[in-house]
Amino acid sequence: TDLQGKQLQKIQTSGRIEGYHTVTQDKDLIYTDIHNKVINRITPDNTITEFIKTGDWIPLSIHSSHINGDILVGMVKKREAKVTRYNKTGTEIQNIQRDNKGQTLYGLPRYITENINGDVCVSDYSKHAVVVVDKSGQHRFSYTGQGSEFRPYGICTDVLGHILVCDTRIIGNSDTVHLLDQDGHFLSLLLTSQQGVDDPRSVCVDDENNLWVGQLNTNTVTVYKYLQ
């Protein structure tokens, strides 16, 4: 869509409720096909090409780095999960799967993004956590919410290194967006159901520091101002 919400193009994908698409530094849209286990690229002239094959792994979430153009992909295979980094030409350069103790980092990496310091931030629905590793793949922290059950969905970061993540809880009317600093410390609840947020699933901050929130129950995208 354009900035006023007018639809410009519609592309049929296999996506459900994961973070299946991202825009590259070259302004190409790339998105995952979970059935064929590939990542497709759509160029500005609307040509769709197969970009990366992920083998036996199902690609769930994808993010194109604003720092260097690398492509981060959260994937699952049977009971395993990992994050793979590709360079901008589609060559695999890193796999992140376990911490220093050999424990699995991820369960269901539904949404993924990168912070200004190079940290890879994953919203993991199965772990009920935001799992953050540094650019070398070392586990930094996991954020598990504020006491009650945390059900993280969409995630993004901003120019100050804040982490913003949607929390849609099954029990109670507690839909909200959490604001964290880059070290995982809770700062505030940005939006709550009292402000009319209904089942937030996706979140993005644009270049003007506007907060865009996609809401499942109302099928709307709402834009908020949260930074002065």
Side-chain angles (χ1 to χ4, degrees), residues 7-168:
Q7 181 176 303
L8 301 176
Q9 187 180 4
K10 186 175 182 178
I11 302 145
Q12 187 62 45
T13 74
S14 60
R16 293 192 301 266
I17 51 174
E18 281 75 31
Y20 281 98
H21 67 281
T22 186
V23 177
T24 69
Q25 288 179 324
D26 298 327
K27 303 292 187 274
D28 293 340
L29 175 69
I30 55 177
Y31 67 95
T32 67
D33 181 334
I34 63 173
H35 301 308
N36 296 313
K37 297 173 186 161
V38 298
I39 295 165
N40 292 322
R41 180 201 297 271
I42 306 175
T43 56
D45 65 359
N46 294 336
T47 304
I48 299 177
T49 56
E50 200 173 89
F51 180 39
I52 297 170
K53 293 183 178 180
T54 56
D56 294 334
W57 293 82
I58 298 170
L60 289 185
S61 52
I62 189 166
H63 175 75
S64 177
S65 169
H66 298 222
I67 298 173
N68 54 21
D70 286 353
I71 297 161
L72 300 164
V73 185
M75 308 193 207
V76 293
K77 181 180 71 171
K78 295 181 180 177
R79 295 179 180 272
E80 296 181 272
K82 68 174 181 175
V83 168
T84 298
R85 182 189 297 270
Y86 301 89
N87 65 19
K88 61 177 68 177
T89 63
T91 302
E92 183 179 308
I93 54 178
Q94 184 186 28
N95 277 291
I96 305 167
Q97 195 167 1
R98 300 181 182 275
D99 63 18
N100 285 337
K101 298 178 181 177
Q103 299 298 308
T104 56
L105 284 167
Y106 310 111
L108 192 61
R110 275 187 168 170
Y111 293 86
I112 186 168
T113 192
E114 182 184 55
N115 214 337
I116 57 173
N117 59 0
D119 284 354
V120 178
C121 308
V122 167
S123 173
D124 194 308
Y125 190 82
S126 175
K127 297 274 188 180
H128 298 288
V130 172
V131 181
V132 176
V133 302
D134 65 20
K135 55 190 168 188
S136 68
Q138 297 297 306
H139 183 237
R140 286 199 63 219
F141 63 85
S142 292
Y143 171 78
T144 56
Q146 294 301 299
S148 57
E149 188 175 37
F150 183 50
R151 291 188 175 269
Y153 281 88
I155 190 170
C156 70
T157 60
D158 67 14
V159 291
L160 300 176
H162 294 135
I163 300 168
L164 299 88
V165 59
C166 297
D167 179 15
T168 303

Side-chain angles (χ1 to χ4, degrees), residues 188-207:
S188 67
L189 298 179
L190 272 188
L191 301 168
T192 65
S193 51
Q194 284 73 35
Q195 294 164 279
V197 180
D198 192 2
D199 209 354
R201 295 300 175 101
S202 54
V203 66
C204 175
V205 175
D206 67 17
D207 294 337

Side-chain angles (χ1 to χ4, degrees), residues 174-225:
S174 304
D175 299 337
T176 185
V177 175
H178 296 231
L179 179 69
L180 318 174
D181 69 14
Q182 61 185 356
D183 297 315
H185 301 122
F186 174 75
L187 298 177
S188 67
L189 298 179
L190 272 188
L191 301 168
T192 65
S193 51
Q194 284 73 35
Q195 294 164 279
V197 180
D198 192 2
D199 209 354
R201 295 300 175 101
S202 54
V203 66
C204 175
V205 175
D206 67 17
D207 294 337
E208 315 265 295
N209 298 319
N210 296 310
L211 174 62
W212 297 63
V213 181
Q215 299 169 70
L216 180 66
N217 281 353
T218 55
N219 286 333
T220 57
V221 175
T222 309
V223 186
Y224 302 89
K225 205 70 171 168

